Amino acid sequence: MHQSITFDCGEDRITMPIKTVVAAGFTGRDRASIDHHIEEMRAIGVSPPASVPILFPVIPTLVTNAEQISVYKDATTPEIECAFIRYQGRDYVTVASDQTDRKLEAQSIELSKNVCPKIVGRTVWPLDAVSDRWDDLQLTSTCGDTVLQDGTLGQLLPWQEIFDFVARTAPGEDREGMMILSGTVPTRAEPPKEGATVSLRLNDPTPNGMGMIRHDYTIRVLNNYF
């Protein structure tokens, strides 16, 4: 089962079928920082990943570019990333949030990712339009005046290495219609809970570059009736 998402791309609107979704994790270039993060997670009961980096399957129908999402419990938090989507043989990129349930993460990272929506921006850039300055692109998420996450894509594995890793790890999957989540940049502040509005930004700071993709969404926790 898959769905289609419509994006703005320059003056065009493109409807892309999302047939497969995978989330790459622990994709930082600094292995010492990754090891430190793994130890932080171990301290709160999260088992270390089976490999570094690692790849998780994600239910394709979780993908949305809505401005409001619903989650089951109040332990979920945003996680800003890039999303790569291949459509008609060409790769596109947008901003994304890998919303994740942190309590379930102690039981299963894979499960924790598959109980929350995966939010993407409403605009995409052709990857080849920014690939020559990829490391300089910036990912930032905020809630009000608070910076939640901030970093450059130079802190993550290069996009080609992420693509190669996916090809090695999921060799039977067709890249056409696949969305790849890139992994995330460092956290600066405590993530928001219910009712918070998160602003995601992918910025190309180059003069006369592509500008910025921004997407805001509000987190709503479902009511309990018992």
Side-chain angles (χ1 to χ4, degrees), residues 68-205:
Q68 183 179 86
I69 65 164
S70 294
V71 294
Y72 182 59
K73 295 290 187 181
D74 64 1
T76 79
T77 62
E79 192 170 281
I80 192 168
E81 313 204 355
C82 283
F84 304 99
I85 306 163
R86 180 164 291 185
Y87 174 67
Q88 295 186 349
R90 191 179 191 187
D91 289 300
Y92 295 84
V93 63
T94 189
V95 73
S97 180
D98 180 12
Q99 191 85 16
T100 299
D101 188 305
R102 300 304 170 187
K103 284 187 178 179
L104 274 178
E105 196 172 37
Q107 176 184 337
S108 166
I109 297 177
E110 184 175 313
L111 178 60
S112 72
K113 293 182 177 298
N114 277 283
V115 296
C116 300
K118 304 303 166 196
I119 303 89
V120 294
R122 294 184 172 180
T123 298
V124 291
W125 296 334
L127 178 58
D128 54 25
V130 293
S131 59
D132 63 339
R133 53 190 182 278
W134 183 255
D135 286 2
D136 297 325
L137 302 186
Q138 301 164 337
L139 282 175
T140 306
S141 66
T142 57
C143 180
D145 295 330
T146 302
V147 177
L148 303 175
Q149 291 181 269
D150 183 58
T152 68
L153 295 184
Q155 294 171 273
L156 302 179
L157 294 176
W159 59 268
Q160 186 61 61
E161 289 190 26
I162 293 175
F163 287 2
D164 291 345
F165 166 66
V166 171
R168 291 194 307 272
T169 310
E173 298 288 359
D174 185 1
R175 278 291 315 283
E176 182 66 28
M178 176 184 284
M179 188 178 93
I180 300 171
L181 295 171
S182 67
T184 194
V185 294
T187 298
R188 307 294 186 193
E190 183 70 21
K193 302 296 184 181
E194 179 178 6
T197 297
V198 178
S199 177
L200 310 171
R201 296 189 292 277
L202 172 62
N203 182 41
D204 177 4

